[in-house]
Amino acid sequence: MTDREPYSDRQPAASVVVPVYNKAPHLKACFDCLERQTISKSDLDVLLIDDGSTDESLALCEAFAAERSWVRVIAQPNAGVSEARNAGIRAARGRYLFFLDPDDSLSPETLENVSKFFESCSWLPIPSCRFATGSASGCTTVTMYCERRASTI
């Protein structure tokens, strides 16, 4: 398990939980998507939760995290995607919680814009959102869920 101390005492704006199980072919694109986010890396907390992968996924996650203090890897025995997400929720440090599957991607401004939107909507008791985009053929679907952390309410 790679779980470095945060590089800032300040709470990050966004925690992104990425459950990983045998997704090695998709991880480079996922990592590129996270790297391109315009949100300040000091406001970003990425948790790659390896759920007992039997391919190179864990090694790829650890290599990506090794050079980025804003990325942590948690390795656990295979327990399913829900348990992987729950492990990420428990470890998350951000004010807002996002879920991203490794075979999905986000536009570069997504985390910054959604975090700023929630910051501007303090009147919402528990803001949450769901984004879904897809092609006309239904071949490409991206879903993202996010919610304000209970500790900030």
Side-chain angles (χ1 to χ4, degrees):
M1 178 170 138
T2 305
D3 192 5
R4 293 184 302 270
E5 288 301 310
Y7 56 100
S8 170
D9 290 334
R10 191 172 66 82
Q11 183 182 29
S15 284
V16 181
V17 176
V18 184
V20 178
Y21 179 74
N22 291 343
K23 293 292 186 178
H26 303 282
L27 289 176
K28 182 181 182 333
C30 180
F31 297 160
D32 289 346
C33 161
L34 293 166
E35 190 80 62
R36 285 193 313 267
Q37 289 300 304
T38 58
I39 192 169
S40 167
K41 297 307 184 256
S42 65
D43 270 331
L44 187 57
D45 173 39
V46 172
L47 297 122
L48 303 171
I49 313 299
D50 183 81
D51 192 40
S53 294
T54 58
D55 66 0
E56 313 77 43
S57 293
L58 178 57
L60 293 170
C61 289
E62 288 174 337
F64 182 69
E67 299 177 7
R68 294 160 184 86
S69 59
W70 46 275
V71 179
R72 294 180 285 150
V73 175
I74 297 173
Q76 65 181 33
N78 182 254
V81 68
S82 294
E83 285 303 316
R85 287 187 178 121
N86 287 338
I89 291 168
R90 286 189 296 273
R93 297 177 178 142
R95 289 187 300 279
Y96 306 107
L97 183 62
F98 297 81
F99 297 98
L100 177 66
D101 289 336
D103 53 356
D104 293 338
S105 65
L106 303 171
S107 65
E109 305 84 13
T110 300
L111 297 176
E112 179 179 19
N113 289 344
V114 173
S115 295
K116 284 181 178 178
F117 172 76
F118 283 158
E119 291 294 328
S120 72
C121 295
S122 58
W123 51 271
L124 289 173
I126 303 177
S128 64
C129 62
R130 178 175 187 242
F131 296 100
T133 62
S135 66
S137 67
C139 293
T140 305
T141 302
V142 176
T143 305
M144 181 181 73
Y145 300 91
C146 47
E147 61 187 52
R148 186 187 305 263
R149 299 284 301 202
S151 62
T152 62
I153 298 175

